[in-house]
């Protein structure tokens, strides 16, 4: 490990407390979140059945494994907070590093208010429909983008978000403890679905392998694909968003405990990806076999609706797990994004105040304040903001990942003697696969004929964020010259 990096880390004041298990739960919890509860039915409708959806999530995990390995190599070699900014700066310069870091801050930061919106939506739509809890929707605040915003669900979501913000101000160790608890809760949800499937379901319920659906009850009403291959591809382009989160592991590498095995650390990122892929496949199979899948997708939020019809206690248990679930990604992305801003502050890409950390907790102070404000705005935006934020986050995330892969390849030539405790399997060819995977996914998100291409609203968010970033960059440079 380069001496300059070690000294930078020492001077930063970050607390070194995170173990390999902490890093795994940070990444795994950020990936799986609660999307599987809310959207497993939509995946089946888009793909034309549970089988195409399972194949797509398997292929998505495999495609991202080389990118995860690239992160593992660079982070083990250069373990600093917000490392992406450092990697790209050392290979492609200050401006490209700034754009990459700023877009990743957008991609990760968006998911904090996104998860707050998800909590508010679950409380109002699901808890609010239970007997005796109708009061949750008694006070309507306003309608935004066609979605109603209610007082009590908003206050509950704010309380959840406030707790995550509070823990992150206390430092990485406190946030990691919450993440470990939430990971166990989500695994309990998966086991619950598996148990119900084994007892009441049948593999025959996953048949036919491919079938077009019309009039489904979720966010996607009908299957647009006309054959099995098209169904797999249609789900595949959605998977990057649902795998986003493994990059939260390297963003907090500077807080690794003393004596951490960096070779094993490099493998943790890939392990989190594959574990999430297995989790998604088991969930799709479990929910897709409880009932004939065509019947399953006919109801809104079918993962919860099917349990409600089987057993009310199981339904409430899964609903509680689903409501706690968004705190996991919110917690992980909050920590990761604040470290990206910290790194940009250290590089002079953001005002130097962003480089300051709390002496007691080691948390980046100004970055945590900014993210706290962004997060608590979430519940006020309404559930119809979820889809635009999803697509913007996916593009920003995968662009940054591709830049890291390019940086990794270039460093093999420019810094061949850099100690690398962990290396990408397959060497330069493995790194090339990561670049290729990133380029393909970016193409699917930006080419107009792609089913996942961004619309004008989403492009406006991306361009607006870049304009704000460029203004900040020039203002920071101007201040530095004085």
């Amino acid at each position: 490990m380069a001496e300059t990096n070690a000294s930078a880390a020492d001077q930063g004041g970050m607390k070194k407390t995170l173990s390999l298990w902490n890093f795994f739960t940070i990444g795994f919890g950020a990936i799986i979140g609660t999307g599987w509860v809310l959207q497993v039915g939509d995946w089946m409708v888009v793909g034309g059945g549970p089988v195409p959806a399972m194949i797509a999530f398997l292929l998505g995990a495999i495609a991202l494994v080389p990118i995860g390995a690239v992160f593992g190599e660079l982070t083990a070699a250069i373990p600093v907070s917000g490392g992406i900014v450092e990697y790209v700066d050392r290979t492609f310069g200050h401006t490209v590093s700034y754009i990459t870091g700023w877009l990743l801050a957008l991609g990760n930061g968006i998911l904090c208010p996104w998860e707050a919106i998800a909590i508010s939506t679950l409380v109002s739509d699901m808890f609010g429909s239970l007997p005796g809890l109708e009061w949750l929707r008694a006070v309507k605040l306003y309608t935004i983008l066609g979605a109603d915003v209610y007082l009590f669900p908003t206050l509950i979501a704010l309380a959840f978000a406030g707790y995550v913000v509070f823990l992150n101000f206390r430092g990485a160790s406190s946030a990691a403890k919450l993440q470990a608890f939430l990971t166990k809760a989500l695994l309990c949800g998966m086991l619950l679905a598996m148990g119900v499937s084994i007892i009441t379901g049948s593999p025959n319920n996953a048949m036919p392998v491919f079938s077009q659906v019309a009039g489904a009850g979720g966010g996607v009403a009908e299957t647009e694909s006309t054959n099995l291959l098209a169904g797999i591809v249609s789900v595949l382009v959605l998977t990057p968003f649902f795998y986003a989160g493994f990059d939260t592991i390297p963003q907090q590498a500077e807080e690794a405990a003393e004596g951490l095995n960096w070779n094993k650390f490099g493998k943790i990122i890939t392990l989190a990806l594959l574990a999430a892929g297995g989790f998604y496949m088991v969930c799709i199979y479990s929910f897709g076999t409880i009932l004939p899948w065509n019947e399953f997708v006919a109801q809104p939020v079918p993962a919860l609706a099917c349990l409600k019809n089987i057993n009310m206690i199981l339904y409430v248990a899964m609903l509680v797990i689903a409501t706690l679930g968004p705190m996991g990604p919110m917690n992980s992305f909050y920590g990761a994004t604040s470290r990206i801003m910290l790194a940009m502050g250290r590089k002079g890409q953001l005002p130097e105040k962003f480089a300051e950390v709390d002496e007691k907790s080691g948390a980046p102070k100004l970055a945590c304040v900014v993210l706290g404000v962004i997060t608590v705005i979430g519940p006020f935006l309404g559930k119809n903001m979820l889809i635009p934020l999803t697509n913007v986050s996916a593009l920003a995330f995968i662009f940054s990942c591709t830049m890291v892969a390019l940086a990794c390849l270039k460093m093999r030539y420019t810094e061949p003697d850099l100690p690398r405790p962990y290396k990408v399997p397959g060497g330069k060819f493995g790194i090339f696969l990561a670049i290729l995977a990133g380029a393909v996914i970016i193409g699917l998100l930006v080419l107009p004929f792609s089913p996942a291409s961004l619309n004008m609203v989403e492009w406006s968010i991306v361009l607006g964020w870049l304009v704000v970033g460029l203004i900040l960059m020039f203002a920071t440079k101007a201040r530095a010259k004085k």
Side-chain angles (χ1 to χ4, degrees):
M1 187 188 311
E3 291 181 7
T4 55
N5 296 326
S7 62
D10 292 339
Q11 293 168 9
M14 310 297 284
K15 303 298 181 183
K16 299 182 180 299
T17 58
L18 301 181
S19 65
L20 290 173
W21 172 248
N22 291 147
F23 281 116
F24 175 80
T25 58
I26 286 169
F28 182 72
I31 294 171
I32 59 174
T34 195
W36 54 278
V37 177
L38 297 176
Q39 296 184 287
V40 65
D42 291 342
W43 299 338
M44 295 181 200
V45 175
V46 171
V51 174
M54 289 171 65
I55 294 172
F57 270 90
L58 174 62
L59 294 176
I62 293 171
L64 289 172
V65 161
I67 295 178
V70 161
F71 273 92
E73 175 174 317
L74 289 179
T75 309
I78 311 170
V80 295
S81 287
I84 286 178
V85 176
E86 174 70 21
Y87 315 147
V88 179
D89 185 57
R90 286 169 71 150
T91 49
F92 296 106
H94 188 83
T95 302
V96 178
S97 168
Y98 181 86
I99 294 170
T100 302
W102 189 243
L103 277 176
L104 188 61
L106 170 65
N108 282 356
I110 273 178
L111 288 165
C112 295
W114 192 100
E115 301 296 346
I117 296 170
I119 293 171
S120 177
T121 300
L122 280 166
V123 172
S124 62
D125 291 1
M126 306 310 295
F127 277 105
S129 65
L130 291 175
L133 294 179
E134 296 88 351
W135 56 270
L136 286 169
R137 292 186 290 199
V139 182
K140 178 181 170 182
L141 296 177
Y142 49 82
T143 299
I144 180 170
L145 298 175
D148 294 333
V149 177
Y150 297 96
L151 174 62
F152 296 114
T154 299
L155 292 176
I156 292 169
L158 286 174
F160 277 65
Y163 182 62
V164 171
V165 172
F166 169 72
L167 287 182
N168 277 274
F169 268 100
R170 292 186 61 184
S173 179
S174 296
K177 290 175 183 176
L178 172 64
Q179 200 67 15
F181 165 74
L182 293 171
T183 297
K184 293 171 185 174
L186 291 167
L187 288 173
C188 286
M190 182 185 72
L191 292 173
L192 175 60
M194 285 177 60
V196 174
S197 174
I198 291 169
I199 295 171
T200 68
S202 167
N204 292 330
N205 289 334
M207 298 293 116
V209 170
F210 175 83
S211 174
Q212 288 185 299
V213 173
V220 180
E222 61 185 35
T223 307
E224 295 184 3
S225 303
T226 56
N227 56 63
L228 176 61
L229 180 60
I232 293 171
V233 172
S234 295
V235 179
L236 182 61
V237 297
L238 302 175
T239 59
F241 174 77
F242 294 101
Y243 282 121
F246 65 82
D247 62 303
T248 59
I249 298 174
Q251 302 309 338
Q252 300 183 59
E254 191 174 312
E255 290 150 283
E258 298 291 347
L260 190 85
N261 186 320
W262 288 101
N263 179 269
K264 289 183 178 179
F265 174 90
K267 298 171 184 175
I268 285 289
I269 301 172
T270 299
L271 181 61
L273 259 174
L274 293 176
F279 181 96
Y280 283 135
M281 291 176 68
V282 169
C283 285
I284 294 168
Y285 175 81
S286 298
F287 284 113
T289 55
I290 290 175
L291 302 171
W293 74 267
N294 280 281
E295 295 179 20
F296 173 80
V297 300
Q299 307 170 77
V301 194
L304 294 170
C306 72
L307 292 178
K308 189 175 184 179
N309 295 332
I310 293 170
N311 185 288
M312 197 65 182
I313 295 175
L314 295 179
Y315 168 73
V316 173
M318 183 65 82
L319 185 52
V320 170
I321 292 170
T323 307
L324 288 173
M327 293 178 69
M330 187 193 299
N331 186 41
S332 291
F333 285 113
Y334 197 103
T337 308
S338 64
R339 273 61 179 179
I340 294 166
M341 291 180 172
L342 169 73
M344 295 178 75
R346 287 175 173 174
K347 286 286 182 183
Q349 296 172 348
L350 287 177
E352 59 184 15
K353 279 285 185 181
F354 279 92
E356 296 180 5
V357 299
D358 185 83
E359 293 181 3
K360 185 177 180 181
S361 68
K365 291 188 288 188
L366 183 56
C368 282
V369 170
V370 171
L371 279 173
V373 172
I374 292 172
T375 302
V376 299
I377 288 173
F380 296 96
L381 298 178
K383 63 183 178 182
N384 287 347
M385 275 299 292
L386 287 174
I387 293 175
L389 294 180
T390 295
N391 293 334
V392 169
S393 177
L395 176 61
F397 164 71
I398 205 64
F399 171 80
S400 301
C401 288
T402 306
M403 288 306 304
V404 170
L406 288 166
C408 185
L409 181 62
K410 189 172 182 180
M411 266 194 212
R412 285 291 186 100
Y413 295 98
T414 58
E415 299 186 49
D417 298 326
L418 179 71
R420 293 172 169 86
Y422 171 82
K423 291 186 177 181
V424 175
K428 293 173 184 174
F429 179 71
I431 300 172
F432 171 76
L433 289 179
I435 297 169
L436 179 62
V440 168
I441 297 170
I442 289 173
L444 292 170
L445 288 166
V446 302
L447 295 176
F449 56 80
S450 167
S453 60
L454 271 62
N455 60 33
M456 288 304 297
V457 173
E458 293 154 0
W459 276 119
S460 299
I461 295 173
V462 173
L463 294 175
W465 183 259
L466 285 174
V467 168
V468 171
L470 290 173
I471 292 171
L472 271 176
M473 182 176 72
F474 288 123
T476 303
K477 285 182 177 180
R479 248 186 251 112
K481 289 178 181 178
K482 292 181 180 178

